[in-house]
Amino acid sequence: MNKAYSYIRFSTKGQIEGRSLKRQLENAQEYANSNGLELQSLSFRDLGVSGYKGKNSTDGELGKFIEAVKEGVIEEGSYLLIESFDRMSRQPVETSLMLLMNIVDLGITVVTLMDRQVYKKGEMNMNALMLSLVSMSRAHEESATKSKRVGDAWHKKQSRAASEPMGSPLPSWLHYSDDKKEILVSEVKAIIVRYIFLLSAEGYGRAAIVRRLNNEGIPPISSRASQWHTSTISKLLNGRMVLGEYHPHVTNSKGKREATGEV
């Protein structure tokens, strides 16, 4: 009995609470049962990950699946079950097609559950492949349109940033007023920030500041951290946010953040 692995992706984490995750899991199980496949408990899930820039196939779970096949952890002849091509990729057609062909060439049979199309090495159906190209093209165009629409809205919002709060995550020592119209200082956290600058001015290095803060039991200003780290200290001392400056950033075509517009 051939082994089957499900790959599940959707762009927004809010879909976890909706039907998207459950539907994709149920479809994979139903197909495996109907076609004599052994669906593995190990599944690959990129939840809240966009397929528009291909991060799911490079840094995400789809990339881990491909690596597992290359390393022999997942054996040739196994099946990869996906709801539709837009779950695997929303990149340009040529990039999406190359991704599909690379997976098939590794000896993995890819099945799109929505239309029950099967893509297997040495048994590629040209009609099915042409339909998949149309699906890939449509998915990329939809994502490109959405990206442009979101980008336009972002730039309009950015142009108002100097006169009104943007709604973006704030530095840890700031918080919004109840009506979201003002940015206020969290005084206790601000005192800690000033203390860090005082220690630096007195000649303490980053590592020494971290040791002192942790030894003195001073809690990190970020709610996500359990202790102080040198990277946090460096970001504080080298950045200009403490001076009240905010420089918007965007993600470029290579997936890297870069500054944009005016400070």
Side-chain angles (χ1 to χ4, degrees), residues 35-210:
N35 291 272
L37 302 175
E38 183 183 353
L39 185 63
Q40 304 299 294
S41 58
L42 172 62
S43 63
F44 295 83
R45 306 180 186 183
D46 282 313
L47 310 184
V49 178
S50 171
Y52 181 49
K53 295 181 179 178
K55 283 189 176 182
N56 60 319
S57 60
T58 54
D59 305 326
E61 290 292 305
L62 182 59
K64 291 180 182 179
F65 173 83
I66 294 171
E67 285 303 311
V69 176
K70 290 179 178 179
E71 293 171 3
V73 176
I74 293 177
E75 59 197 48
E76 287 189 32
S78 297
Y79 282 64
L80 178 64
L81 309 181
I82 60 176
E83 185 176 50
S84 57
F85 275 118
D86 64 344
R87 299 300 181 188
M88 186 177 72
S89 175
R90 281 181 168 267
Q91 294 181 279
V93 173
E94 59 274 20
T95 306
S96 298
L97 179 60
M98 188 177 297
L99 175 61
L100 169 64
M101 298 309 294
N102 285 342
I103 295 174
V104 170
D105 195 52
L106 289 171
I108 300 299
T109 299
V110 177
V111 177
T112 49
L113 299 172
M114 187 171 288
D115 56 10
R116 292 297 199 267
Q117 292 295 336
V118 179
Y119 301 87
K120 187 174 183 179
K121 188 174 182 179
E123 300 179 20
M124 298 290 285
N125 181 296
M126 290 307 297
N127 289 332
L129 192 57
M130 291 300 295
L131 290 175
S132 73
L133 292 175
V134 173
S135 176
M136 292 174 186
S137 177
R138 185 184 301 117
H140 176 67
E141 288 173 3
E142 287 174 355
S143 289
T145 300
K146 181 179 178 182
S147 178
K148 184 179 185 304
R149 187 165 57 245
V150 170
D152 289 345
W154 164 250
H155 286 296
K156 288 179 182 178
K157 195 175 183 183
Q158 175 190 323
S159 67
R160 303 195 304 268
S163 59
E164 63 183 68
M166 288 185 63
S168 302
L170 294 173
S172 299
W173 60 90
L174 300 176
H175 67 274
Y176 284 110
S177 61
D178 291 340
D179 60 7
K180 303 294 184 182
K181 292 183 178 181
E182 287 186 273
I183 294 175
L184 307 175
V185 176
S186 301
E187 289 298 339
V188 173
K189 292 183 177 181
I191 289 171
I192 296 173
V193 173
R194 296 187 190 107
Y195 182 48
I196 290 169
F197 274 87
L198 177 63
L199 292 176
S200 180
E202 290 180 352
Y204 283 79
R206 271 57 164 173
I209 293 174
V210 167

Side-chain angles (χ1 to χ4, degrees), residues 228-248:
W228 290 94
H229 299 280
T230 54
S231 59
T232 306
I233 303 302
S234 296
K235 189 174 181 180
L236 270 174
L237 296 177
N238 294 335
R240 297 182 64 82
M241 286 191 295
V242 291
L243 303 178
E245 292 186 3
Y246 170 66
H247 200 169

